[in-house]
Amino acid sequence: MRGTFSIQVQLLALLYLFLYAPIAYVIYVSFQKDSVWPFPPDFTLEHYADLLHLRDFHAALVNSLTIGIGTGLLSALLATIAAIGVLRYASRWRGLVAAAYLAPLFIAHLLIGIASLMFNKQLLGLPGNIGSAILANTTYATAFAFLVVLAQLAKHDWRLDEAAMVFGAPPLRAFWSVTLPLIWPSVLGAVIVSFLLAFNNLEVTFYQVGARPTLPTLAWGELRHGVSEELYALASLINAAIFLFLGALYVLLRTGALRLDYRD
Amino acid sequence: MDVRTRRLLFLAAPGLAFLFVFLFLPLVSVVVYSFWRTASYEMIAEWNVDNYVTLLTEGTYLTFLWRSLVMATVVTAVSVVYAWPVAYLIAKHGGRYKLILVLLTAAPFLTGEILRITALQQILGPIGVINMGLTSFGIAPVEALMYSSTATGIGLSYLWMPFMVLAVYLSLLNFDFELMEVAKVNGARPLRAFIEIAWPLNRAGTAIGCVLVFIPTLGSSVTSQFLGGPNGALYGNILAHQFGATGTWALGSAMGVVLFGLSALLIALVVRVVGDFRRSGLTMSGR
């Protein structure tokens, strides 16, 4: 039995290596003069300097942030109220409602992308823009946000809300002053997850934004023209930002500065 | 309609309306357009089934579809085999580090497809670190890693394996590991205990993981575009092509319908075979 255990540990270690080594390597290469065979190391910051001159880089960053924030807020809002409904009201319809919210997880992104493209252009006569990118990304992001909120709120004690209402608080007031202060970390989690998914999305966004650059479409274009060094700088910056952010979040949770489970 | 149902629907209505307008209707429009035709980049509402005839009779489309099906099957199978022991380890022995261990497998997912492919190309490609390393030591480069289906397969596993780990892990959270001990006390060997207890009790969660890996892999295009090389195109590449250079949206729509149909078929099959998803950990009914 010890044997099986150590094999499992090795498999897990190998999985982490498989998942993180490429990311770590890109960050390493982004600081190297020679990106093809960067050994022995020869550090430089010039790829980051080049990145600043990369055409469309700033516009892409702004567009990606806009899509990310718009999707993050909209998805979290839709997902949170639905998750509260599903958890709180034991109607026989709740399985069906949950299934509808989770259905987008089972649709390929490419299909969501082209379907939105054709629907907007043919039926609504709208050319793609950042707004339609937010709407298209919100479809699948809501599913992820719903999962996040559902998992976090499964243990929420709804009697607190009932109590507020028994003492005369109107439902909206009860939500605002009792429910939300308790569940906001879960809502924030949903915002973060859907923000990141939309911020980094290529296959859905690509078909909505037309010629407007986003960071993923910019990276896609760069990748098509062969290996380019500023792309590594770009990838490293985004990866570093995400992991620093997730790391900070984890530290805050561990130290208790931020709490996910209010009953701890 | 009782009061609970009314309240539930009231809270769920905004999202359901949103999904209806921005997901369901667009998907229906794909079905409609698949029966139209395109001429010089314009969609023309002349109802016909020519797009489907083209897909079925011109061998190339079926070839690419078959390739994608094989790719998705292999990637899913590899993911199951790999994710199971890992998820089992985390769920059983993770203790207070369970959550962080499993989230570490999921975190790279949040960095997005294109950045992860950029990173992989730097490792696997013809001038990737593996082959450059081998060449610099005077060893022949590994052809299989350079612009090949193997490279695409590695890339797709890299992208979607976290889903499988998460799905199996969630299922195992609701699994009573004592049962395995009971089996062993009664003389079952580990493999037998796994086949007769752990696997059947977690097959719903595993099935969800399979669907979550299979569907995006079947519809993938970006991974094979950058890792698969000139001969590594998959169905998704040909589909995306209809919306790019060639502008044949109607044919592309028919390809999309086929893709969606296959996904729906798979889900129907899984629901049929598994039947009861209460143990998957994805529903709220638990154990």
Side-chain angles (χ1 to χ4, degrees):
Chain A
M1 233 15 239
R2 283 326 294 173
T4 330
F5 181 74
S6 84
I7 290 172
Q8 282 176 305
V9 172
Q10 285 167 30
L11 284 175
L12 180 65
L14 199 64
L15 180 64
Y16 288 144
L17 184 73
F18 178 49
L19 290 174
Y20 288 97
I23 296 171
Y25 185 68
V26 163
I27 294 178
Y28 169 75
V29 169
S30 72
F31 290 107
Q32 298 301 319
K33 269 215 165 61
D34 179 4
S35 71
V36 175
W37 183 244
F39 306 103
D42 183 6
F43 287 94
T44 174
L45 285 173
E46 68 188 38
H47 306 318
Y48 287 87
D50 291 344
L51 184 61
L52 295 177
H53 304 298
L54 188 65
R55 203 171 54 87
D56 296 339
F57 174 66
H58 295 105
L61 181 64
V62 171
N63 286 340
S64 283
L65 283 173
T66 313
I67 294 172
I69 293 169
T71 305
L73 294 177
L74 187 56
S75 308
L77 175 73
L78 295 174
T80 304
I81 54 176
I84 290 175
V86 165
L87 287 171
R88 211 175 149 175
Y89 302 112
S91 154
R92 63 197 168 89
W93 290 86
R94 73 176 183 175
L96 211 58
V97 168
Y101 269 81
L102 295 176
L105 291 179
F106 300 98
I107 301 171
H109 282 189
L110 178 62
L111 206 54
I112 298 180
I114 60 160
S116 303
L117 168 74
M118 290 196 296
F119 184 69
N120 290 341
K121 180 148 185 279
Q122 288 292 321
L123 220 68
L124 308 179
L126 295 172
N129 56 37
I130 301 298
S132 62
I134 292 176
L135 296 175
N137 276 294
T138 300
T139 55
Y140 69 85
T142 302
F144 282 96
F146 183 71
L147 268 185
V148 170
V149 180
L150 210 56
Q152 288 299 327
L153 293 192
K155 290 187 215 142
H156 183 83
D157 189 351
W158 297 106
R159 281 173 305 183
L160 292 168
D161 311 66
E162 310 271 332
M165 283 191 267
V166 166
F167 284 107
L172 214 60
R173 175 76 200 278
F175 176 78
W176 196 253
S177 37
V178 176
T179 317
L180 198 60
L182 289 173
I183 68 165
W184 73 266
S186 327
V187 180
L188 182 68
V191 173
I192 292 168
V193 166
S194 33
F195 165 84
L196 287 176
L197 290 172
F199 180 84
N200 285 313
N201 183 277
L202 175 73
E203 284 190 301
V204 175
T205 304
F206 181 81
Y207 291 101
Q208 316 305 322
V209 291
R212 291 177 196 79
T214 66
L215 290 180
T217 58
L218 198 69
W220 180 81
E222 289 285 306
L223 210 51
R224 257 167 29 121
H225 298 127
V227 202
S228 97
E229 283 154 343
E230 63 264 39
L231 180 60
Y232 300 139
L234 177 66
S236 304
L237 277 182
I238 300 173
N239 277 319
I242 291 171
F243 283 109
L244 280 178
F245 179 71
L246 292 176
L249 204 62
Y250 179 71
V251 170
L252 286 177
L253 286 172
R254 270 251 93 100
T255 55
L258 191 72
R259 288 162 70 171
L260 276 185
D261 191 356
Y262 49 92
R263 292 198 304 182
D264 269 354
Chain B
M1 203 186 276
D2 64 305
V3 66
R4 280 183 299 198
T5 305
R6 251 184 295 145
R7 287 187 178 161
L8 165 66
L9 291 183
F10 176 73
L11 289 175
L16 292 177
F18 182 91
L19 289 176
F20 181 79
V21 175
F22 295 104
L23 186 64
F24 183 73
L25 289 184
L27 288 173
V28 171
S29 72
V30 172
V31 178
V32 171
Y33 297 144
S34 74
F35 293 103
W36 288 15
R37 66 183 185 88
T38 17
S40 47
Y41 297 93
E42 288 294 329
M43 303 271 268
I44 298 166
E46 281 173 18
W47 298 87
N48 66 83
V49 291
D50 293 356
N51 298 313
Y52 291 98
V53 174
T54 308
L55 291 186
L56 285 174
T57 51
E58 280 182 33
T60 45
Y61 298 101
L62 290 178
T63 309
F64 285 113
L65 183 60
W66 177 246
R67 249 196 225 176
S68 279
L69 281 168
V70 171
M71 180 65 80
T73 308
V74 171
V75 169
T76 308
V78 168
S79 299
V80 173
V81 171
Y82 201 106
W84 247 92
V86 168
Y88 195 90
L89 174 75
I90 299 177
K92 190 175 180 194
H93 300 286
R96 59 191 289 249
Y97 298 107
K98 257 185 212 173
L99 189 64
I100 185 73
L101 286 173
V102 79
L103 286 184
L104 271 175
T105 67
F109 179 73
L110 294 174
T111 67
E113 196 175 10
I114 197 76
L115 293 187
R116 304 180 75 193
I117 290 170
T118 308
L120 269 187
Q121 209 185 36
Q122 186 67 1
I123 301 280
L124 299 175
I127 55 167
V129 69
I130 294 180
N131 279 326
M132 285 299 290
L134 290 175
T135 338
S136 78
F137 290 115
I139 306 168
V142 184
E143 297 272 344
L145 294 182
M146 302 191 292
Y147 297 137
S148 65
S149 296
T150 312
T152 305
I154 294 174
L156 287 165
S157 310
Y158 183 74
L159 286 174
W160 302 108
M161 177 96 74
F163 271 22
M164 186 70 83
V165 176
L166 269 180
V168 177
Y169 169 80
L170 279 177
S171 177
L172 285 171
L173 278 187
N174 286 324
F175 175 65
D176 187 355
F177 287 95
E178 291 287 318
L179 292 173
M180 296 295 278
E181 300 308 319
V182 173
K184 277 171 216 162
V185 168
N186 286 299
R189 280 186 298 179
L191 185 66
R192 174 102 189 269
F194 169 77
I195 293 174
E196 290 199 15
I197 296 172
W199 177 262
L201 285 178
N202 291 290
R203 62 184 194 142
T206 311
I208 289 175
C210 288
V211 173
L212 286 176
V213 173
F214 192 92
I215 288 177
T217 308
L218 189 66
S220 73
S221 62
V222 185
T223 314
S224 43
Q225 182 181 6
F226 293 118
L227 297 175
N231 298 318
L234 294 176
Y235 189 72
N237 298 102
I238 313 301
L239 207 178
H241 196 59
Q242 313 303 324
F243 292 87
T246 57
T248 40
W249 286 17
L251 180 61
S253 298
M255 294 186 74
V257 171
V258 170
L259 182 64
F260 187 78
L262 285 172
S263 309
L265 200 68
L266 174 74
I267 293 171
L269 198 73
V270 164
V271 170
R272 178 95 205 220
V273 170
V274 176
D276 183 1
F277 283 89
R278 268 175 302 173
R279 304 197 62 94
S280 67
L282 274 177
T283 60
M284 287 135 285
S285 31
R287 293 173 194 268

